[in-house]
Amino acid sequence: MPRQVVILGSTGSIGCSTLDVIAQHPERFSVLALTAGRQVEKLLQQCLVFNPRFAALLLESDARWLREQLAISGCKTEVLVGEATFAELAGHTDADIVMAAIVGAAGLLPTLAAVKQGKTVLLANKEALVMSGELFIDAVKQHQAILLPIDSEHNAIFQCLPPALQAHSYQGSLPQAGISKILLTGSGGPFRQTDLALFDQITPEQAVAHPNWTMGRKISVDSATMMNKGLEFIEARWLFNCQPQDIEVVLHPQSIIHSMVQYSDGSVLAQLGNPDMRTPIAHALAFPERIASNVKPLDFFSLGSFTFARPEPERYPCLGLAIDACRHGQGATTALNAANEVAVEAFLQQQISFTAIAKLNALCLARFASHHASQLDDILALDAESRAYAQQQLRNFVQ
């Protein structure tokens, strides 16, 4: 029997790549449910191709249109509506695998619902761990869910771990496994060599044009500021049960080495591949087996040289803020994530400058760094309070 897959955020880049891999292996996987925000036309095409039992949207108007179009096409997919239905589908009795690919804080509750039902969760939503790391990991342990990382960096680290540690990386011991450090690589984004004096002139179109990866707009801006790497730093702290001093960020502009694990005997294991998210998706979908992803293998004879560098603090202040938040604890990371979502959206709407993103984030981190949040209600309340504070402070940065 094919394994039943629920894709949270099916119309985003991760969701589309997941469906591409599934399409190559119809004997292994079947789509149980798809969820989307507002890209209803793309969701319609996905329903017609994959014929899921369920599809869910946020707005009734979008759901009504989708029902009408599916009826015309003779597709039997049942269309649901509302944010609560995302969590219901994530925890559905028939679901075997849940791809958690909703961007931002909106992905936390449905991803947590999948965990609480003991599903195999493919985690592409880094904010779930950034916002609620300890609570989230405790739920994984309590409900015996299987947590597999999808971010290319975390998936690379996971692949470089000893097999015994892969089964419980979030509660194992890196030192006992002979691991001395996690080396988290990042490209440095599109402004790695841009004159710092020009940063105030950076436009949203320039910021979303990543040199190596095809990603959504929000994640692309996070990559340009390296907040994305900062969020991954926090995520790695929880995924691999380590402390901030156990993780080092390494700039690797070619994006071929996706991350590395340094062992106490001096060895460094690295995972390499072309920058295509179908590779980690295929790895996690079939784990511990290996299946085709339709990604071209590396041609080592055409590769140029690999280069590495330390990230410059003045070029990537958001990275430093995220690492500081990780040291402060859960309340700080929850608040910083909320502020950053507000700041990035304001930048994309051309309300604030590129450099104002870090300034707004710094204000919010200073305001909430000492806050404690361990229960879900506390986390959600702090998230809301941080967003409100960030919105209030936006007026100081409006262009």
Side-chain angles (χ1 to χ4, degrees), residues 89-278:
L89 292 174
H92 195 283
T93 304
D94 294 338
D96 299 307
I97 299 172
V98 176
M99 169 59 78
I102 297 175
V103 175
L108 172 59
L109 292 181
T111 305
L112 199 54
V115 167
K116 289 181 177 179
Q117 292 302 318
K119 305 300 183 184
T120 295
V121 177
L122 278 51
L123 189 66
N125 171 271
K126 59 178 60 65
E127 289 82 3
L129 283 175
V130 171
M131 289 178 66
S132 65
E134 186 173 7
L135 178 145
F136 191 94
I137 294 300
D138 284 348
V140 170
K141 297 173 185 175
Q142 179 184 349
H143 299 283
Q144 299 183 334
I146 297 173
L147 187 63
L148 299 173
I150 296 299
D151 270 348
S152 62
E153 295 82 359
H154 302 104
N155 182 266
I157 294 164
F158 184 87
Q159 292 195 50
C160 293
L161 296 178
L165 191 56
Q166 288 178 337
H168 53 89
S169 64
Y170 42 82
Q171 59 183 338
S173 169
L174 296 185
Q176 288 182 11
I179 295 170
S180 58
K181 186 162 287 190
I182 286 173
L183 301 172
L184 188 66
T185 62
S187 70
F191 309 125
R192 184 175 53 86
Q193 296 179 312
T194 301
D195 188 334
L196 293 176
L198 301 176
F199 268 39
D200 270 335
Q201 303 172 30
I202 289 171
T203 67
E205 289 69 29
Q206 292 171 322
V208 301
H210 195 281
N212 301 334
W213 294 93
T214 300
M215 305 179 290
R217 287 170 66 81
K218 194 270 181 182
I219 296 177
S220 295
V221 174
D222 282 346
S223 180
T225 65
M226 282 199 79
M227 176 59 85
N228 198 47
K229 201 57 50 184
L231 299 179
E232 289 172 4
F233 186 103
I234 299 165
E235 188 181 5
R237 177 259 181 275
W238 294 108
L239 279 172
F240 306 113
N241 192 30
C242 58
Q243 297 301 316
Q245 61 267 25
D246 301 323
I247 309 168
E248 184 173 358
V249 176
V250 179
L251 289 191
H252 170 53
Q254 294 78 25
S255 295
I256 298 298
I257 298 175
H258 296 302
S259 273
M260 300 171 280
V261 172
Q262 180 176 298
Y263 283 81
S264 54
D265 63 1
S267 301
V268 176
L269 300 188
Q271 189 266 337
L272 286 71
N274 281 312
D276 191 314
M277 288 305 298
R278 290 176 296 176

Side-chain angles (χ1 to χ4, degrees), residues 200 317-318 321 353-365 397:
D200 270 335
C318 283
L321 290 172
S353 69
F354 183 76
T355 54
I357 296 174
K359 293 174 183 176
L360 183 60
N361 286 339
L363 274 178
C364 292
L365 180 58
F397 301 101

